[in-house]
Amino acid sequence: MAEVGVEVEAEDGSSALSVTFDCLLEIFGYLDGHDLARVSRVCKNWHDAAQTPLLWKHLCLQRWLFCNLSNMTPGEQVWQEYYIHRHAVDTSMGRGAPKKDYRAKTLRGHKGQIKDAVYLSKKELCFDTATFHPILASCSEDKTVRAWDITEGSELWVGTEHKSAVTCLVLWEEESILCSGDQDGDIHMWDCSPGQNRGTFRGHDGGVTKMVMCKSGRYTALLAGTGQGDIKIWDLQNTTACLKTFPAISGMALDILSLRKDKTLAVASRDGGGMKLYDVERLLSSEGLTGDAEDCLVGELEHPSLQHTCCITWLPWKPNMAAIGYENGDIGVWDLKPASSGRTHGRKESPPVLLHTTSAHFGAVRGLSAVHNMLVSASAQDVHLKTWSLQNDGSLTEEKTYTDHQGPVTGIHVDHYKAVSCSDDFSIRVYQWRREGGRRVLDSKYTLLGGSLQRASGFQGVLSDYTSCVGIAGKELKAYTFTT
């Protein structure tokens, strides 16, 4: 900002530079946060104008696509406080200086391979305090579920109710309930904070492979996929009676269960059988629970050459579209709109349409995420992270390829603010989104190294909230917390 010449404050306390309050607001609307802080020191009138919540709200919404103030303490300066704290996190995450901008902790305690991990703390931004500590849960082949304070690197509680390897986790954030499924077919339900066991769901033949939760009608439902290709539906309030069991992909382990806004359930196995879509609201209705699940089937998505499905991401800016990654490295873009028009005896009049397939990677697509009108993809068979833009005809245009890892990319996390990738070369790479004209561009920033994890076989997965990220490496977790 150009230097502003201002006379000293008059004896009566008013500004010697006579500018109306409304004019000051108009002028200050062109300043960034740093410059607003500077002009607030000129005189009392300028200070009062620079503290106007509307200015800081405008700055927040101009800089960040989404701002959640639900965790902030109500008050006139809430937008200013939000901006200050979040700007500090962005600065730390963008710079990535060890010790100065982030702290690294190794979380040890599991005796077997870690199979899954989820954040228990709210994923929304908590910028009202610098003492916010993200909480993580992990499960392992050692038959335990563990909760961690990743900032301190301390273990909070251990669940030892399982009698076999724990394979997957799912969180119901509204009620702070964590569910963990194991190879014997049991699902245990935990209170997130004290780690108290609230009940057990049993009888999943072939073990529990994947779980999702949703709310529809009067049910808060847990949908569990099994190693035999079945789906069992439970009401969280009743652990004794299963609401419904039906075969989705018979004889194949269900590796993929994905929900779109509690309305559509995508089900697939990486062993084959294509992908099926179910109408969740109908499935959880009285008619759906007592009738044939096939009547709730709204589409089947099959690759033209019958390639196995590896992953799916819903396109938030295209509510009736999804992108699917396949075993041969293809990404297929599907139009689900024909499947949302008209219904005949529970089935859709027209099946989903495969708009376009793109040869994206040399091997199976293991990571696929959509944000900012962009797709981000990765394969465990190559070292590339790629960004794609979606064209009107459903084709994908490659925007940029990143080769920051020396080994194959084994996992990615993408949100509105950043992307994080991990590799079996013991590294985690951080990227940040920035505006360039009317589009978003992903900038490669820096690498977080695995440090003391040399006994592991690199990172197998990565997850992140808005102030931290965690890599899964064998029996250990490597946690990085960014300073505020």
Side-chain angles (χ1 to χ4, degrees):
M1 185 190 77
E3 292 295 329
V4 180
V6 182
E7 298 180 31
V8 297
E9 196 172 75
E11 293 182 359
D12 61 359
S14 63
S15 173
L17 181 61
S18 181
V19 181
T20 67
F21 191 83
D22 288 343
C23 285
L24 285 176
L25 290 182
E26 182 70 24
I27 296 169
F28 289 175
Y30 293 94
L31 306 183
D32 61 17
H34 176 72
D35 288 336
L36 267 182
R38 290 178 64 196
V39 299
S40 70
R41 298 194 294 268
V42 170
C43 66
K44 183 179 184 303
N45 285 352
W46 284 36
H47 176 272
D48 292 344
Q51 298 296 307
T52 302
L54 188 62
L55 289 175
W56 293 96
K57 179 179 180 180
H58 172 73
L59 280 176
C60 289
L61 298 179
Q62 185 181 50
R63 179 166 178 176
W64 299 295
L65 185 66
F66 177 73
C67 300
N68 187 347
L69 275 68
S70 61
N71 295 312
M72 301 288 286
T73 302
E76 290 186 359
Q77 304 306 319
V78 63
W79 283 103
Q80 183 181 13
E81 293 172 7
Y82 183 94
Y83 183 93
I84 291 170
H85 284 289
R86 185 162 177 186
H87 174 74
V89 173
D90 276 8
T91 301
S92 297
M93 195 167 288
R95 190 169 49 201
K99 296 184 180 180
K100 179 179 181 180
D101 294 320
Y102 66 84
R103 295 193 295 174
K105 297 286 185 179
T106 301
L107 310 181
R108 297 185 175 95
H110 284 297
K111 306 302 181 185
Q113 176 77 32
I114 296 172
K115 305 298 290 183
D116 199 5
V118 297
Y119 278 94
L120 301 185
S121 50
K122 290 183 180 293
K123 292 191 175 75
E124 288 90 350
L125 296 159
C126 298
F127 294 116
D128 56 331
T129 173
T131 60
F132 171 70
H133 286 196
I135 306 299
L136 187 86
S138 58
C139 66
S140 166
E141 292 178 346
D142 66 5
K143 309 177 187 179
T144 68
V145 177
R146 297 172 187 264
W148 312 85
D149 179 331
I150 65 176
T151 301
E152 299 299 328
S154 59
E155 188 176 88
L156 299 178
W157 56 265
V158 183
T160 59
E161 302 292 330
H162 288 280
K163 306 303 180 185
S164 63
V166 189
T167 55
C168 54
L169 301 171
V170 66
L171 173 69
W172 183 244
E173 192 174 289
E174 287 185 16
E175 299 181 30
S176 296
I177 292 175
L178 175 71
C179 288
S180 54
D182 66 29
Q183 286 184 348
D184 283 350
D186 290 344
I187 297 174
H188 290 283
M189 185 165 53
W190 313 86
D191 274 325
C192 289
S193 181
Q196 181 180 358
N197 194 313
R198 294 184 50 171
T200 305
F201 306 98
R202 304 186 187 277
H204 302 82
D205 295 335
V208 183
T209 54
K210 197 72 176 177
M211 299 180 292
V212 293
M213 288 190 191
C214 67
K215 191 171 184 64
S216 182
R218 60 193 180 95
Y219 295 112
T220 299
L222 169 67
L223 292 81
T226 75
Q228 296 296 325
D230 295 333
I231 291 179
K232 295 181 79 71
I233 304 176
W234 300 88
D235 178 9
L236 284 187
Q237 306 304 319
N238 185 354
T239 61
T240 59
C242 180
L243 294 175
K244 186 179 184 67
T245 303
F246 66 94
I249 303 176
S250 296
M252 297 184 183
L254 300 182
D255 307 296
I256 300 171
L257 266 68
S258 179
L259 279 171
R260 181 179 69 88
K261 296 182 178 180
D262 288 355
K263 295 183 181 298
T264 305
L265 174 68
V267 182
S269 171
R270 293 194 178 105
D271 295 329
M275 175 170 281
K276 294 185 177 182
L277 302 179
Y278 292 91
D279 183 330
V280 174
E281 291 182 338
R282 180 169 173 79
L283 197 59
L284 293 176
S285 67
S286 298
E287 182 182 3
L289 291 174
T290 57
D292 191 340
E294 290 294 299
D295 293 335
C296 305
L297 187 66
V298 296
E300 297 184 66
L301 316 181
E302 191 78 74
H303 189 279
S305 61
L306 305 182
Q307 293 292 322
H308 295 182
T309 301
C310 295
C311 52
I312 182 174
T313 185
W314 310 98
L315 307 186
W317 67 94
K318 295 281 189 180
N320 296 305
M321 296 178 69
I324 297 178
Y326 293 99
E327 188 180 35
N328 67 342
D330 283 355
I331 296 176
V333 177
W334 290 83
D335 182 6
L336 310 178
K337 188 173 182 179
S340 21
S341 61
R343 190 190 293 274
T344 305
H345 300 298
R347 288 183 176 272
K348 302 297 184 180
E349 291 182 348
S350 303
V353 175
L354 177 59
L355 297 177
H356 204 277
T357 58
T358 301
S359 181
H361 294 275
F362 294 115
V365 180
R366 294 300 186 190
L368 190 60
S369 192
V371 69
H372 292 315
N373 297 354
M374 302 280 285
L375 281 175
V376 182
S377 67
S379 168
Q381 274 73 51
D382 64 39
V383 300
H384 301 137
L385 184 78
K386 297 186 177 184
T387 57
W388 310 82
S389 58
L390 179 68
Q391 307 306 311
N392 291 332
D393 63 354
S395 63
L396 296 176
T397 299
E398 184 176 337
E399 295 292 335
K400 193 169 182 179
T401 298
Y402 304 84
T403 55
D404 298 298
H405 293 290
Q406 297 179 1
V409 179
T410 52
I412 63 172
H413 165 89
V414 183
D415 57 43
H416 286 91
Y417 317 103
K418 67 182 181 305
V420 183
S421 61
C422 68
S423 170
D424 62 7
D425 65 3
F426 296 96
S427 69
I428 294 176
R429 189 74 183 178
V430 178
Y431 308 79
Q432 276 193 321
W433 294 104
R434 65 174 171 85
R435 296 180 188 269
E436 187 176 276
R439 65 193 187 103
R440 294 279 182 162
V441 176
L442 199 60
D443 284 338
S444 179
K445 303 301 287 187
Y446 53 88
T447 296
L448 301 167
L449 298 179
S452 60
L453 299 173
Q454 300 304 315
R455 289 178 295 174
S457 56
F459 289 108
Q460 294 89 51
V462 67
L463 60 161
S464 178
D465 65 2
Y466 299 123
T467 60
S468 66
C469 66
V470 179
I472 301 173
K475 303 175 184 179
E476 300 174 349
L477 298 164
K478 193 72 176 184
Y480 303 87
T481 307
F482 294 91
T483 59
T484 59

